[in-house]
Amino acid sequence: MTQPRWLDSEEKAAWNAFLEVSHRVERRVEHHLREQEGLSHPQYEILVRLADAPEWQLRMTELAESLLTSKSGASYQIGKLEKAGLVRRSSCPGDDRGVLAVLTEEGMATLRRAAPGHVELVRSSLIDLLSREQLAALTDGLDTVARRIEE
């Protein structure tokens, strides 16, 4: 049996900093979106993905993949957004089993109201706290991790 490769002090500091910042930023974003628009962060991300999609619609499976969540997790969030009138489901043309998530006009209006405050919070919680060099290093490092985990 091999011994674990314990983290040295520099590695442990990086891991702890990552955990602290990711949790703090996520909590701030979640709180802000709930207070301002009654949305969870995953629901906001769904609205963003749909707004960026052609004709404001995506197949549910494609949406779930883009959110890095399960189909049932995406379906649950879509159900909540549907009840609020922000999203609707539609059958997929040419595929009887396929379901589309479609952003409604009300959903787009909600996104337009929420986006300015959201981007300001992202700036004040992360982006504006780092230099351009630090942002580039953060992006490079996290992109490497994402690619390696995907493999």
Side-chain angles (χ1 to χ4, degrees), residues 22-39:
S22 62
H23 291 303
R24 285 180 185 270
V25 171
E26 180 59 29
R27 275 197 298 261
R28 288 186 80 189
V29 169
E30 184 73 26
H31 177 76
H32 174 80
L33 289 169
R34 287 228 184 258
E35 290 289 314
Q36 297 303 308
E37 293 297 333
L39 295 170

PDB file of all heavy atoms in Angstrom, residues 22-39:
ATOM      1  N   SER A  22     -13.711  30.388  -3.244  1.00  0.00           N
ATOM      2  CA  SER A  22     -14.836  29.851  -4.015  1.00  0.00           C
ATOM      3  C   SER A  22     -16.111  29.827  -3.173  1.00  0.00           C
ATOM      4  O   SER A  22     -17.187  30.201  -3.652  1.00  0.00           O
ATOM      5  CB  SER A  22     -14.517  28.470  -4.593  1.00  0.00           C
ATOM      6  OG  SER A  22     -14.276  27.530  -3.579  1.00  0.00           O
ATOM      7  N   HIS A  23     -16.005  29.447  -1.905  1.00  0.00           N
ATOM      8  CA  HIS A  23     -17.185  29.432  -1.041  1.00  0.00           C
ATOM      9  C   HIS A  23     -17.697  30.847  -0.756  1.00  0.00           C
ATOM     10  O   HIS A  23     -18.907  31.093  -0.794  1.00  0.00           O
ATOM     11  CB  HIS A  23     -16.898  28.712   0.275  1.00  0.00           C
ATOM     12  CG  HIS A  23     -16.689  27.247   0.123  1.00  0.00           C
ATOM     13  ND1 HIS A  23     -17.615  26.398  -0.441  1.00  0.00           N
ATOM     14  CD2 HIS A  23     -15.641  26.459   0.448  1.00  0.00           C
ATOM     15  CE1 HIS A  23     -17.158  25.161  -0.447  1.00  0.00           C
ATOM     16  NE2 HIS A  23     -15.952  25.178   0.080  1.00  0.00           N
ATOM     17  N   ARG A  24     -16.784  31.762  -0.450  1.00  0.00           N
ATOM     18  CA  ARG A  24     -17.212  33.133  -0.143  1.00  0.00           C
ATOM     19  C   ARG A  24     -17.871  33.809  -1.352  1.00  0.00           C
ATOM     20  O   ARG A  24     -18.908  34.461  -1.218  1.00  0.00           O
ATOM     21  CB  ARG A  24     -16.030  33.975   0.332  1.00  0.00           C
ATOM     22  CG  ARG A  24     -15.590  33.658   1.742  1.00  0.00           C
ATOM     23  CD  ARG A  24     -14.405  34.555   2.142  1.00  0.00           C
ATOM     24  NE  ARG A  24     -13.884  34.200   3.421  1.00  0.00           N
ATOM     25  CZ  ARG A  24     -14.314  34.720   4.572  1.00  0.00           C
ATOM     26  NH1 ARG A  24     -15.272  35.621   4.564  1.00  0.00           N
ATOM     27  NH2 ARG A  24     -13.772  34.347   5.705  1.00  0.00           N
ATOM     28  N   VAL A  25     -17.258  33.667  -2.519  1.00  0.00           N
ATOM     29  CA  VAL A  25     -17.827  34.288  -3.720  1.00  0.00           C
ATOM     30  C   VAL A  25     -19.179  33.652  -4.038  1.00  0.00           C
ATOM     31  O   VAL A  25     -20.152  34.365  -4.318  1.00  0.00           O
ATOM     32  CB  VAL A  25     -16.853  34.205  -4.917  1.00  0.00           C
ATOM     33  CG1 VAL A  25     -17.529  34.650  -6.206  1.00  0.00           C
ATOM     34  CG2 VAL A  25     -15.608  35.050  -4.648  1.00  0.00           C
ATOM     35  N   GLU A  26     -19.262  32.345  -3.983  1.00  0.00           N
ATOM     36  CA  GLU A  26     -20.524  31.664  -4.283  1.00  0.00           C
ATOM     37  C   GLU A  26     -21.621  32.103  -3.316  1.00  0.00           C
ATOM     38  O   GLU A  26     -22.750  32.368  -3.734  1.00  0.00           O
ATOM     39  CB  GLU A  26     -20.350  30.151  -4.233  1.00  0.00           C
ATOM     40  CG  GLU A  26     -21.616  29.368  -4.527  1.00  0.00           C
ATOM     41  CD  GLU A  26     -22.240  29.625  -5.883  1.00  0.00           C
ATOM     42  OE1 GLU A  26     -21.496  29.963  -6.831  1.00  0.00           O
ATOM     43  OE2 GLU A  26     -23.473  29.503  -6.012  1.00  0.00           O
ATOM     44  N   ARG A  27     -21.318  32.189  -2.029  1.00  0.00           N
ATOM     45  CA  ARG A  27     -22.326  32.633  -1.052  1.00  0.00           C
ATOM     46  C   ARG A  27     -22.790  34.060  -1.332  1.00  0.00           C
ATOM     47  O   ARG A  27     -23.979  34.361  -1.228  1.00  0.00           O
ATOM     48  CB  ARG A  27     -21.773  32.528   0.366  1.00  0.00           C
ATOM     49  CG  ARG A  27     -21.932  31.149   0.955  1.00  0.00           C
ATOM     50  CD  ARG A  27     -21.776  31.173   2.466  1.00  0.00           C
ATOM     51  NE  ARG A  27     -20.461  31.607   2.887  1.00  0.00           N
ATOM     52  CZ  ARG A  27     -19.484  30.794   3.250  1.00  0.00           C
ATOM     53  NH1 ARG A  27     -19.664  29.497   3.260  1.00  0.00           N
ATOM     54  NH2 ARG A  27     -18.317  31.281   3.612  1.00  0.00           N
ATOM     55  N   ARG A  28     -21.848  34.941  -1.682  1.00  0.00           N
ATOM     56  CA  ARG A  28     -22.212  36.336  -1.979  1.00  0.00           C
ATOM     57  C   ARG A  28     -23.111  36.407  -3.215  1.00  0.00           C
ATOM     58  O   ARG A  28     -24.111  37.128  -3.232  1.00  0.00           O
ATOM     59  CB  ARG A  28     -20.963  37.182  -2.209  1.00  0.00           C
ATOM     60  CG  ARG A  28     -20.185  37.449  -0.942  1.00  0.00           C
ATOM     61  CD  ARG A  28     -19.050  38.393  -1.179  1.00  0.00           C
ATOM     62  NE  ARG A  28     -19.604  39.763  -1.206  1.00  0.00           N
ATOM     63  CZ  ARG A  28     -18.919  40.825  -1.565  1.00  0.00           C
ATOM     64  NH1 ARG A  28     -17.662  40.712  -1.929  1.00  0.00           N
ATOM     65  NH2 ARG A  28     -19.465  42.015  -1.556  1.00  0.00           N
ATOM     66  N   VAL A  29     -22.737  35.656  -4.257  1.00  0.00           N
ATOM     67  CA  VAL A  29     -23.529  35.654  -5.494  1.00  0.00           C
ATOM     68  C   VAL A  29     -24.921  35.087  -5.219  1.00  0.00           C
ATOM     69  O   VAL A  29     -25.942  35.663  -5.635  1.00  0.00           O
ATOM     70  CB  VAL A  29     -22.805  34.869  -6.609  1.00  0.00           C
ATOM     71  CG1 VAL A  29     -23.718  34.618  -7.797  1.00  0.00           C
ATOM     72  CG2 VAL A  29     -21.544  35.615  -7.045  1.00  0.00           C
ATOM     73  N   GLU A  30     -24.973  33.964  -4.527  1.00  0.00           N
ATOM     74  CA  GLU A  30     -26.267  33.328  -4.212  1.00  0.00           C
ATOM     75  C   GLU A  30     -27.162  34.282  -3.416  1.00  0.00           C
ATOM     76  O   GLU A  30     -28.338  34.458  -3.742  1.00  0.00           O
ATOM     77  CB  GLU A  30     -26.024  32.039  -3.423  1.00  0.00           C
ATOM     78  CG  GLU A  30     -27.267  31.247  -3.119  1.00  0.00           C
ATOM     79  CD  GLU A  30     -27.865  30.530  -4.308  1.00  0.00           C
ATOM     80  OE1 GLU A  30     -27.135  30.200  -5.266  1.00  0.00           O
ATOM     81  OE2 GLU A  30     -29.094  30.305  -4.297  1.00  0.00           O
ATOM     82  N   HIS A  31     -26.619  34.906  -2.380  1.00  0.00           N
ATOM     83  CA  HIS A  31     -27.389  35.827  -1.546  1.00  0.00           C
ATOM     84  C   HIS A  31     -27.903  37.006  -2.371  1.00  0.00           C
ATOM     85  O   HIS A  31     -29.088  37.381  -2.280  1.00  0.00           O
ATOM     86  CB  HIS A  31     -26.532  36.316  -0.376  1.00  0.00           C
ATOM     87  CG  HIS A  31     -27.233  37.312   0.485  1.00  0.00           C
ATOM     88  ND1 HIS A  31     -28.209  36.964   1.386  1.00  0.00           N
ATOM     89  CD2 HIS A  31     -27.108  38.660   0.560  1.00  0.00           C
ATOM     90  CE1 HIS A  31     -28.659  38.053   1.980  1.00  0.00           C
ATOM     91  NE2 HIS A  31     -28.010  39.094   1.503  1.00  0.00           N
ATOM     92  N   HIS A  32     -27.037  37.581  -3.171  1.00  0.00           N
ATOM     93  CA  HIS A  32     -27.415  38.739  -3.986  1.00  0.00           C
ATOM     94  C   HIS A  32     -28.545  38.396  -4.955  1.00  0.00           C
ATOM     95  O   HIS A  32     -29.536  39.142  -5.052  1.00  0.00           O
ATOM     96  CB  HIS A  32     -26.188  39.258  -4.758  1.00  0.00           C
ATOM     97  CG  HIS A  32     -26.515  40.346  -5.714  1.00  0.00           C
ATOM     98  ND1 HIS A  32     -26.688  41.661  -5.332  1.00  0.00           N
ATOM     99  CD2 HIS A  32     -26.728  40.325  -7.046  1.00  0.00           C
ATOM    100  CE1 HIS A  32     -26.990  42.392  -6.385  1.00  0.00           C
ATOM    101  NE2 HIS A  32     -27.018  41.609  -7.442  1.00  0.00           N
ATOM    102  N   LEU A  33     -28.410  37.289  -5.678  1.00  0.00           N
ATOM    103  CA  LEU A  33     -29.434  36.920  -6.660  1.00  0.00           C
ATOM    104  C   LEU A  33     -30.773  36.612  -5.984  1.00  0.00           C
ATOM    105  O   LEU A  33     -31.839  36.980  -6.495  1.00  0.00           O
ATOM    106  CB  LEU A  33     -28.971  35.724  -7.493  1.00  0.00           C
ATOM    107  CG  LEU A  33     -27.852  36.027  -8.487  1.00  0.00           C
ATOM    108  CD1 LEU A  33     -27.284  34.732  -9.052  1.00  0.00           C
ATOM    109  CD2 LEU A  33     -28.344  36.945  -9.603  1.00  0.00           C
ATOM    110  N   ARG A  34     -30.717  35.965  -4.835  1.00  0.00           N
ATOM    111  CA  ARG A  34     -31.967  35.664  -4.099  1.00  0.00           C
ATOM    112  C   ARG A  34     -32.637  36.956  -3.630  1.00  0.00           C
ATOM    113  O   ARG A  34     -33.856  37.094  -3.727  1.00  0.00           O
ATOM    114  CB  ARG A  34     -31.680  34.754  -2.913  1.00  0.00           C
ATOM    115  CG  ARG A  34     -31.374  33.354  -3.322  1.00  0.00           C
ATOM    116  CD  ARG A  34     -32.164  32.349  -2.518  1.00  0.00           C
ATOM    117  NE  ARG A  34     -31.753  31.014  -2.891  1.00  0.00           N
ATOM    118  CZ  ARG A  34     -32.450  30.231  -3.697  1.00  0.00           C
ATOM    119  NH1 ARG A  34     -33.569  30.640  -4.203  1.00  0.00           N
ATOM    120  NH2 ARG A  34     -32.010  29.025  -3.989  1.00  0.00           N
ATOM    121  N   GLU A  35     -31.834  37.876  -3.103  1.00  0.00           N
ATOM    122  CA  GLU A  35     -32.384  39.139  -2.607  1.00  0.00           C
ATOM    123  C   GLU A  35     -32.933  40.011  -3.731  1.00  0.00           C
ATOM    124  O   GLU A  35     -33.980  40.627  -3.581  1.00  0.00           O
ATOM    125  CB  GLU A  35     -31.306  39.921  -1.846  1.00  0.00           C
ATOM    126  CG  GLU A  35     -30.910  39.311  -0.532  1.00  0.00           C
ATOM    127  CD  GLU A  35     -31.995  39.436   0.514  1.00  0.00           C
ATOM    128  OE1 GLU A  35     -32.571  40.529   0.663  1.00  0.00           O
ATOM    129  OE2 GLU A  35     -32.276  38.411   1.172  1.00  0.00           O
ATOM    130  N   GLN A  36     -32.204  40.092  -4.832  1.00  0.00           N
ATOM    131  CA  GLN A  36     -32.581  41.005  -5.911  1.00  0.00           C
ATOM    132  C   GLN A  36     -33.696  40.470  -6.809  1.00  0.00           C
ATOM    133  O   GLN A  36     -34.586  41.220  -7.183  1.00  0.00           O
ATOM    134  CB  GLN A  36     -31.354  41.348  -6.770  1.00  0.00           C
ATOM    135  CG  GLN A  36     -30.277  42.073  -6.022  1.00  0.00           C
ATOM    136  CD  GLN A  36     -30.765  43.368  -5.394  1.00  0.00           C
ATOM    137  OE1 GLN A  36     -31.357  44.202  -6.050  1.00  0.00           O
ATOM    138  NE2 GLN A  36     -30.540  43.513  -4.107  1.00  0.00           N
ATOM    139  N   GLU A  37     -33.614  39.203  -7.193  1.00  0.00           N
ATOM    140  CA  GLU A  37     -34.568  38.669  -8.166  1.00  0.00           C
ATOM    141  C   GLU A  37     -35.262  37.378  -7.743  1.00  0.00           C
ATOM    142  O   GLU A  37     -36.038  36.825  -8.500  1.00  0.00           O
ATOM    143  CB  GLU A  37     -33.865  38.431  -9.518  1.00  0.00           C
ATOM    144  CG  GLU A  37     -33.416  39.693 -10.214  1.00  0.00           C
ATOM    145  CD  GLU A  37     -34.551  40.631 -10.614  1.00  0.00           C
ATOM    146  OE1 GLU A  37     -35.696  40.174 -10.842  1.00  0.00           O
ATOM    147  OE2 GLU A  37     -34.298  41.846 -10.689  1.00  0.00           O
ATOM    148  N   GLY A  38     -34.940  36.863  -6.549  1.00  0.00           N
ATOM    149  CA  GLY A  38     -35.551  35.614  -6.114  1.00  0.00           C
ATOM    150  C   GLY A  38     -35.052  34.405  -6.878  1.00  0.00           C
ATOM    151  O   GLY A  38     -35.739  33.393  -6.969  1.00  0.00           O
ATOM    152  N   LEU A  39     -33.838  34.522  -7.427  1.00  0.00           N
ATOM    153  CA  LEU A  39     -33.237  33.433  -8.214  1.00  0.00           C
ATOM    154  C   LEU A  39     -32.095  32.798  -7.443  1.00  0.00           C
ATOM    155  O   LEU A  39     -31.376  33.480  -6.714  1.00  0.00           O
ATOM    156  CB  LEU A  39     -32.647  33.979  -9.523  1.00  0.00           C
ATOM    157  CG  LEU A  39     -33.592  34.566 -10.552  1.00  0.00           C
ATOM    158  CD1 LEU A  39     -32.788  35.258 -11.655  1.00  0.00           C
ATOM    159  CD2 LEU A  39     -34.485  33.490 -11.129  1.00  0.00           C
TER     160      LEU A  39
END
